[in-house]
């Protein structure tokens, strides 16, 4: 038995807010887990401190599956982003402990490597098509084999995914939600033009991706997917809000553009129909928001039966702890597709020393025991929590719309 003797929540803001759980054991082996929920960080911190940590003390850290079931089924009120982020933090930390106790990098306990590295994509964005393509070229020169393109929409003051800081995009930009204005009509006119220009300038060998960010109706999304077919996207992401999974049938009926969704999913039930009916090509659920490595492996196993591949969310609202967990997970499964890779700031990387590394378009989790990442608590204490919200979206007539 490896007894849990202590667990604590660390909230820090080295440029943006992160919530980290650290679990200690009687053998002196500790583990870390990410519990960050962008814009609702303190809700998860409270869930951990007030409800989960008291239940962890004295438990056997090796009993990961039993602990996951205890926290999920034992609460009665299941699922939801706060609950599943908290469970994920515990799950990550326990896998970190188990692998450290074995003296192995975590992926070895998950079955070993299925590939030499994980294909990643970078984020190229600009106010204009020309600026976006210059950024895409910069990523290609850094060795990236896949690039997500987001561009400003003519006639709109601001657009999702476009930032003045090209390396460290952070949408949670204000102490109260800022408001953006959206026009689907303007967006549907400009986006195919962006990808036509991209293929002409960048050629056919680079993988191109695009994020709609849940903003279209099914028939609008079908029209966009069909318009983008000539440019052979790697995927079209989050074309519609996915609460109603059957919405994707309409898109699928009209286009062969590959579809990806799932960064806001928190359980296998959110994607079961999408996978079983083969309405998507990539499932983007993250280790953090989908209940940890234990639960994400279930999602990946289901997806593998239907030739659906993974493409885990990897934005900067996930700490390096989640990135490390995603890499150990991704390198060990047969149906890995691609990994989103948004680089963290130097301040964040200093707070979270890590062993994963990038080279020639691929990430590797490294060979350190466990997750290969930790938190510098003394340094983290120098960056106190700062309230920050994601923006909201309104249509040009002032009505609320999906951000």
């Amino acid at each position: 038995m490896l007894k849990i003797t202590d667990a604590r929540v660390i909230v820090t803001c080295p440029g943006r807010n992160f919530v980290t759980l650290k679990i200690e054991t009687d053998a002196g082996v500790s583990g870390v887990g990410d519990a960050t929920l962008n814009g609702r960080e303190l809700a998860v911190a409270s869930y951990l401190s007030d409800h989960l940590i008291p239940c962890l003390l004295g438990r056997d850290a090796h009993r990961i599956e039993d602990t996951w079931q205890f926290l999920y089924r034992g609460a009665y009120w299941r699922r939801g982003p706060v609950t599943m982020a908290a469970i994920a933090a515990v799950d990550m930390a326990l896998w970190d402990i188990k692998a450290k106790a074995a003296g192995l990098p975590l992926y070895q306990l998950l079955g070993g490597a299925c590939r030499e590295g994980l294909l990643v994509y970078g984020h190229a964005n600009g106010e204009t098509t020309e600026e976006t393509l210059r950024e895409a070229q910069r990523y290609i020169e850094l060795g990236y084999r896949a690039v997500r393109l987001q561009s400003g929409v003519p006639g709109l003051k601001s657009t999702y995914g476009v930032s003045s800081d090209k390396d460290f995009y952070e949408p949670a930009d204000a102490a109260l939600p800022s408001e953006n204005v959206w026009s689907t009509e303007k967006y549907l006119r400009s986006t195919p033009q962006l990808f036509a220009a991209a293929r002409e300038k960048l050629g056919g060998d680079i993988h191109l991706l695009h994020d709609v960010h849940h903003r279209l109706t099914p028939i609008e999304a079908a029209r966009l997917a069909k318009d983008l077919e000539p440019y052979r996207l790697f995927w079209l992401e989050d074309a519609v809000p996915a609460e109603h999974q059957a919405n994707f049938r309409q898109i699928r009926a009209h286009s062969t553009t590959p579809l990806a969704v799932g960064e806001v999913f928190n359980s296998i039930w959110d994607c079961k129909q999408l996978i079983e009916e083969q309405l998507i090509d990539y499932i983007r659920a993250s280790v953090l928001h989908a209940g940890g490595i234990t639960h994400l492996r279930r999602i990946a196993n289901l997806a593998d039966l239907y030739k659906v591949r993974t493409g885990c969310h990897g934005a900067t609202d996930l700490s390096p702890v989640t990135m490390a967990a995603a890499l150990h997970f991704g390198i060990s499964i047969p149906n890995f597709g691609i990994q989103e890779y948004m680089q963290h700031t130097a301040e964040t990387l200093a707070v979270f020393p890590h062993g994963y590394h990038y080279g020639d378009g691929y990430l590797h989790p490294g060979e350190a025991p466990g997750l290969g990442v930790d938190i510098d608590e003394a340094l983290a204490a120098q960056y106190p929590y700062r309230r920050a919200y994601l923006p909201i979206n309104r249509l040009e007539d002032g009505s609320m719309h999906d951000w």
Side-chain angles (χ1 to χ4, degrees):
M1 179 175 182
L2 192 59
K3 184 183 293 186
I4 297 172
T5 56
D6 188 31
R8 57 190 176 277
V9 176
I10 304 149
V11 181
T12 184
C13 186
R16 62 111 38 246
N17 294 313
F18 296 107
V19 179
T20 306
L21 175 69
K22 190 155 194 174
I23 295 178
E24 307 277 0
T25 67
D26 60 355
V29 181
S30 64
V32 291
D34 188 7
T36 308
L37 185 61
N38 203 350
R40 297 294 185 270
E41 297 90 352
L42 298 185
V44 188
S46 172
Y47 195 102
L48 283 165
S49 296
D50 298 330
H51 303 294
L52 296 197
I53 287 176
C55 298
L56 294 175
L57 301 181
R59 293 185 64 87
D60 185 353
H62 279 313
R63 298 185 63 174
I64 298 175
E65 180 65 43
D66 183 67
T67 297
W68 196 96
Q69 297 293 337
F70 176 84
L71 298 178
Y72 179 81
R73 301 168 97 174
Y76 185 70
W77 310 106
R78 299 180 183 180
R79 301 163 60 188
V82 174
T83 294
M84 297 304 278
I87 292 175
V90 175
D91 191 73
M92 278 185 250
L94 294 183
W95 277 110
D96 191 22
I97 288 169
K98 182 179 283 287
K100 285 177 180 175
L104 293 169
L106 175 58
Y107 75 83
Q108 295 288 14
L109 295 191
L110 301 178
C114 286
R115 54 196 51 82
E116 299 305 313
L118 294 94
L119 179 68
V120 297
Y121 66 92
H123 286 220
N125 69 87
E127 294 290 344
T128 64
T129 294
E130 293 74 22
E131 185 182 0
T132 300
L133 298 187
R134 285 197 300 271
E135 283 298 304
Q137 189 62 51
R138 182 170 70 91
Y139 275 101
I140 293 169
E141 290 168 0
L142 292 171
Y144 284 78
R145 301 159 188 257
V147 183
R148 192 186 86 167
L149 303 182
Q150 306 292 140
S151 182
V153 175
L156 297 183
K157 184 178 179 180
S158 62
T159 307
Y160 165 77
V162 177
S163 170
S164 58
D165 189 332
K166 301 305 180 190
D167 291 318
F168 310 112
Y169 172 63
E170 174 50 67
D173 58 358
L176 291 174
S178 57
E179 298 196 7
N180 294 336
V181 176
W182 177 252
S183 167
T184 296
E185 294 79 7
K186 292 181 174 70
Y187 168 76
L188 289 178
R189 283 197 300 269
S190 66
T191 302
Q193 297 169 6
L194 167 66
F195 282 89
R199 277 297 173 219
E200 182 176 350
K201 182 176 179 61
L202 305 177
D205 292 335
I206 190 74
H207 296 303
L208 299 179
L209 302 86
H210 181 66
D211 185 1
V212 182
H213 221 246
H214 316 280
R215 297 185 177 206
L216 302 179
T217 65
I219 197 63
E220 291 166 347
R223 185 186 312 150
L224 177 62
K226 190 169 185 176
D227 286 346
L228 292 174
E229 277 184 3
Y231 314 116
R232 295 293 191 266
L233 269 63
F234 187 94
W235 76 35
L236 184 67
E237 176 186 341
D238 292 347
V240 296
E243 289 93 340
H244 185 36
Q245 296 179 41
N247 276 346
F248 280 77
R249 289 178 185 156
Q250 194 161 10
I251 309 171
R252 204 55 135 185
H254 290 280
S255 175
T256 58
T257 295
L259 302 174
V261 75
E263 70 181 55
V264 299
F265 290 175
N266 55 72
S267 89
I268 198 168
W269 304 105
D270 294 323
C271 53
K272 180 176 180 288
Q273 182 181 7
L274 288 167
I275 292 171
E276 290 180 341
E277 294 187 23
Q278 295 178 282
L279 300 178
I280 58 173
D281 302 277
Y282 297 90
I283 179 65
R284 298 202 62 248
S286 74
V287 179
L288 167 53
H289 297 137
I293 294 165
T294 296
H295 194 60
L296 194 59
R297 290 175 79 193
R298 292 193 180 95
I299 294 174
N301 288 338
L302 174 64
D304 191 36
L305 296 178
Y306 297 93
K307 301 303 180 185
V308 173
R309 293 184 285 178
T310 65
C312 291
H313 182 53
T316 51
D317 60 353
L318 312 175
S319 84
V321 177
T322 289
M323 179 56 74
L327 298 179
H328 285 280
F329 162 80
I331 208 167
S332 68
I333 61 170
N335 57 323
F336 168 81
I338 199 168
Q339 174 63 52
E340 181 178 20
Y341 180 40
M342 293 184 70
Q343 298 185 49
H344 290 100
T345 63
E347 292 81 4
T348 295
L349 295 177
V351 170
F352 296 95
H354 62 282
Y356 61 80
H357 51 274
Y358 166 84
D360 195 27
Y362 296 89
L363 276 172
H364 194 282
E367 298 298 328
L371 289 173
V373 64
D374 205 345
I375 182 168
D376 184 331
E377 295 187 59
L379 186 57
Q382 297 179 25
Y383 299 102
Y385 169 81
R386 185 173 70 245
R387 189 177 69 206
Y389 282 91
L390 293 168
I392 65 164
N393 237 13
R394 293 188 184 274
L395 297 179
E396 292 178 300
D397 67 2
S399 58
M400 282 291 297
H401 192 65
D402 294 298
W403 182 77

